Amino acid sequence: MIDTIRLCDRRYHLSFMLVGDEGYIRHLRIYADRVAPGRVTFLDPVAPDQIMPKIASFDMGIYLLQPTNYNSSIALPNKLFDFIHAGLAVCVGPSPGMAAFVREWRCGVVAPSFDPAAVAATLNRLSAEEIQTMRCAARAVAARMNASTEMTKVVALCDRLLRRASDGG
């Protein structure tokens, strides 16, 4: 993603909120300062329930999960839904699961490859109006796909199964 932002128009800026190996995060900071000076910010992590309010002020979330195995090829990661529920447009690579979701709901763009130049070209083609339209689509998806509506479906399914079991069928 740092290499992608290096190749993007100057209107793009990248923000990370990372947890984990401090040595690796320090390496990323140094690399970002070297190849994309002033264009990458490292935010302090927040509690899980504060992620969406924290990122809601951004325009777009980028998630580039290369499909190195079956699970990652069909994945719809929590981070994707964090972006959508924060009302962000999304940019994903051509991972089949995420690409299909983003195309179906028109809430973002799918880069043709994971190559930083291809992702940057995809972002550079976007207008501010297109990003805003994708943000509106993300908010519409969030209203339809959330824990409340999905749990209603799960409860209804369980009720049907329990009724079928108690009816002997």
Side-chain angles (χ1 to χ4, degrees):
M1 287 190 281
I2 294 169
D3 287 332
T4 295
I5 210 67
R6 175 177 60 87
L7 299 169
C8 280
D9 297 342
R10 299 286 306 168
R11 64 186 165 133
Y12 287 101
H13 183 94
L14 179 65
S15 295
F16 284 116
M17 190 183 318
L18 303 173
V19 296
D21 182 338
E22 289 299 322
Y24 182 64
I25 295 170
R26 190 169 32 261
H27 165 75
L28 291 176
R29 287 177 186 267
I30 292 167
Y31 184 71
D33 285 343
R34 185 167 53 84
V35 302
R39 297 187 64 202
V40 181
T41 302
F42 290 80
L43 303 172
D44 291 332
V46 297
D49 66 336
Q50 292 302 307
I51 292 172
M52 283 182 281
K54 180 76 172 184
I55 67 174
S57 63
F58 296 109
D59 294 317
M60 180 175 284
I62 300 174
Y63 200 103
L64 302 171
L65 176 66
Q66 293 195 29
T68 56
N69 58 45
Y70 179 71
N71 283 347
S72 61
S73 74
I74 64 167
L76 292 175
N78 287 345
K79 187 56 55 198
L80 175 66
F81 289 97
D82 286 347
F83 294 154
I84 288 168
H85 281 265
L88 306 184
V90 295
C91 174
V92 298
S95 300
M98 284 193 287
F101 183 90
V102 168
R103 286 180 180 124
E104 177 182 350
W105 294 100
R106 298 180 180 172
C107 57
V109 291
V110 179
S113 77
F114 295 96
D115 176 70
V119 178
T122 300
L123 293 171
N124 289 339
R125 281 193 293 275
L126 295 175
S127 68
E129 294 77 22
E130 288 170 312
I131 293 170
Q132 188 58 36
T133 298
M134 290 182 282
R135 290 189 73 190
C136 289
R139 288 190 287 277
V141 173
R144 292 187 59 189
M145 292 190 173
N146 56 63
S148 178
T149 58
E150 296 306 309
M151 283 308 294
T152 300
K153 293 175 190 177
V154 170
V155 169
L157 176 62
C158 290
D159 284 346
R160 282 195 311 273
L161 292 172
L162 289 171
R163 275 194 302 278
R164 187 181 305 160
S166 67
D167 292 342

